[in-house]
Amino acid sequence: MAERGAHLTTAAAAEDRPSIFEVLAQDSLMSAVKPALQHAVKILATSNPARYGVLWRRFDEIYAILDLLLQHNFLSHTSASFSENFYGLKRVGTDSTRPAHLGLHRRQHLRSLLLLALLPYLHTKLGKILARQRDEDDFSIRLPQSFTQKLYRAFLAAYPFVCMAWDGWVFCQQLLYVFGKTRTHSPLLWLAGVKLSYLTAHDIRSLDLKPSGLALSPSQSIREKLQHLISIAVGGVAVSLSTSLSIGVFFLQFLEWWYSSENHSTVKSLTSLPTPPPPLHLHNQDTSPTHIKVCPLCRKVRTNETALSTSGYVFCYRCIYVYVKANHRCPLTGYPSGLQHLIKIYTPDG
């Protein structure tokens, strides 16, 4: 079996076709970068919810925009995505030998950009919507009545099976790629109309000699100059992102080890949320048994008592359910919270 795998790898290299190990490695690079950035943003949002909370709530949108700029810069200059260029690969048309410094055709460029940046964003948002819908179903007692709600529930019910079919297609495509039956290892490349190839020395020299285009011509109109300056600014942001990712990617192995199952208990003790102090407006209030049962939100005696596990405070179920669903945080401490953090309290006298 090992001899068969070595033969397939050698044959792929002889055909100027990357091996399955190289293409899978570049696929996993960007999937490892996002969780690392997400964890860093989560720590910032936890330390200062008022200032950095918006970064955590809009992380998917911010990451999608930055990823769009990054991939557009690399596709324009190297005919490859960031991870593909990192491993010395390039994108070429399935029926073309167009050099890397000439770039992809416009249609191939747009398809690649949408599949690299937009599709992962939509997949992430649909996954979160599905998880939130399941949480709401666990806490809700009202069944959907309208046709739109039923259609929405049907779509969410069918979405996992669509994902399963997609994963099966990816596996079959990779298996066919190993045995040389197809030119692409991923359905995304097939949909973009491109395949992966090695970046040659001629391509690298052409990229180095390619003019930067920073000079402005006096004959250009104001609109053309403005577009040129915008493209330079976007390119600068993309280059900064690529440089940061190129440096930070070497620390991904350390992060994977740090957050592995062996270090889970250590990380949990170091990153656990501190015990929140009592709110200032509760210090000087009456501590009679009746007042202790007052909900901090509605300022009435609590009904259907429910605790929020991220902070430990107890509220009325209706009050905290509506607030957490709308704001995704604790109303007293500001800690990020979700519906899954609601804990029903059962008392003997209840």
Side-chain angles (χ1 to χ4, degrees):
M1 186 68 181
E3 295 178 355
R4 176 62 176 169
H7 171 72
L8 291 173
T9 305
T10 306
E15 297 174 359
D16 194 28
R17 187 170 64 97
S19 65
I20 187 64
F21 306 106
E22 292 172 308
V23 295
L24 291 182
Q26 66 87 18
D27 280 342
S28 62
L29 178 58
M30 292 305 295
S31 61
V33 170
K34 184 176 181 179
L37 294 178
Q38 191 172 15
H39 184 77
V41 172
K42 183 178 180 180
I43 293 177
L44 289 176
T46 303
S47 62
N48 194 337
R51 178 176 298 180
Y52 303 111
V54 65
L55 296 179
W56 173 253
R57 293 190 296 269
R58 299 298 181 186
F59 175 79
D60 293 330
E61 288 73 16
I62 295 174
Y63 182 84
I65 294 174
L66 296 179
D67 190 29
L68 188 69
L69 295 176
L70 179 69
Q71 304 298 355
H72 173 70
N73 178 73
F74 273 88
L75 287 173
S76 301
H77 293 84
T78 65
S79 299
S81 66
F82 168 77
S83 57
E84 292 162 358
N85 181 259
F86 187 83
Y87 280 91
L89 304 177
K90 65 178 180 179
R91 294 190 172 206
V92 296
T94 53
D95 298 325
S96 174
T97 57
R98 185 182 179 92
H101 68 280
L102 295 180
L104 298 170
H105 293 290
R106 182 176 180 84
R107 180 177 298 180
Q108 295 171 345
H109 180 94
L110 292 177
R111 288 181 180 179
S112 299
L113 192 61
L114 293 177
L115 294 175
L116 284 171
L118 182 60
L119 189 62
Y121 168 75
L122 295 178
H123 177 71
T124 301
K125 298 301 289 185
L126 286 176
K128 289 187 175 181
I129 292 175
L130 181 62
R132 185 168 61 249
Q133 184 64 40
R134 288 175 178 173
D135 292 336
E136 292 181 0
D137 290 342
D138 293 338
F139 291 95
S140 177
I141 59 175
R142 182 179 300 176
L143 297 177
Q145 300 296 331
S146 65
F147 176 76
T148 304
Q149 290 177 330
K150 292 182 179 180
L151 188 63
Y152 176 71
R153 294 290 184 91
F155 169 75
L156 294 180
Y159 180 71
F161 297 97
V162 175
C163 293
M164 183 179 65
W166 174 264
D167 293 337
W169 185 10
V170 172
F171 175 77
C172 293
Q173 191 84 2
Q174 293 176 354
L175 193 63
L176 293 174
Y177 184 82
V178 170
F179 291 99
K181 302 299 182 181
T182 182
R183 291 173 291 182
T184 59
H185 75 286
S186 171
L188 298 179
L189 295 175
W190 178 77
L191 292 174
V194 297
K195 63 180 180 179
L196 293 182
S197 181
Y198 288 110
L199 194 66
T200 62
H202 175 70
D203 294 328
I204 296 176
R205 288 193 299 268
S206 301
L207 291 172
D208 293 336
L209 297 176
K210 186 177 180 180
S212 59
L214 297 178
L216 289 174
S217 175
S219 60
Q220 291 180 336
S221 62
I222 298 178
R223 181 179 178 181
E224 292 176 346
K225 292 180 179 180
L226 182 61
Q227 292 177 350
H228 185 77
L229 293 176
I230 293 176
S231 64
I232 293 176
V234 172
V237 173
V239 170
S240 301
L241 290 173
S242 62
T243 304
S244 303
L245 287 177
S246 299
I247 297 174
V249 75
F250 294 102
F251 297 97
L252 290 179
Q253 292 296 330
F254 171 76
L255 292 175
E256 291 178 359
W257 169 82
W258 180 255
Y259 295 106
S260 61
S261 57
E262 292 80 2
N263 294 326
H264 181 71
S265 58
T266 304
V267 174
K268 186 176 180 180
S269 63
L270 293 176
T271 60
S272 59
L273 296 176
T275 303
L280 297 177
H281 64 274
L282 296 181
H283 280 309
N284 300 324
Q285 293 184 0
D286 185 16
T287 58
S288 61
T290 303
H291 187 76
I292 293 176
K293 293 183 177 294
V294 170
C295 173
L297 288 176
C298 64
R299 303 299 178 86
K300 300 178 181 179
V301 178
R302 293 192 299 262
T303 58
N304 199 2
E305 297 179 334
T306 302
L308 188 61
S309 62
T310 55
S311 62
Y313 289 102
V314 183
F315 309 84
C316 300
Y317 173 76
R318 180 182 297 274
C319 297
I320 191 60
Y321 178 86
V322 173
Y323 187 91
V324 170
K325 183 179 179 182
N327 300 278
H328 306 286
R329 63 182 179 89
C330 174
L332 300 180
T333 62
Y335 291 155
S337 306
L339 296 178
Q340 68 273 15
H341 297 131
L342 301 181
I343 300 177
K344 181 69 174 66
I345 297 179
Y346 298 94
T347 57
D349 55 351

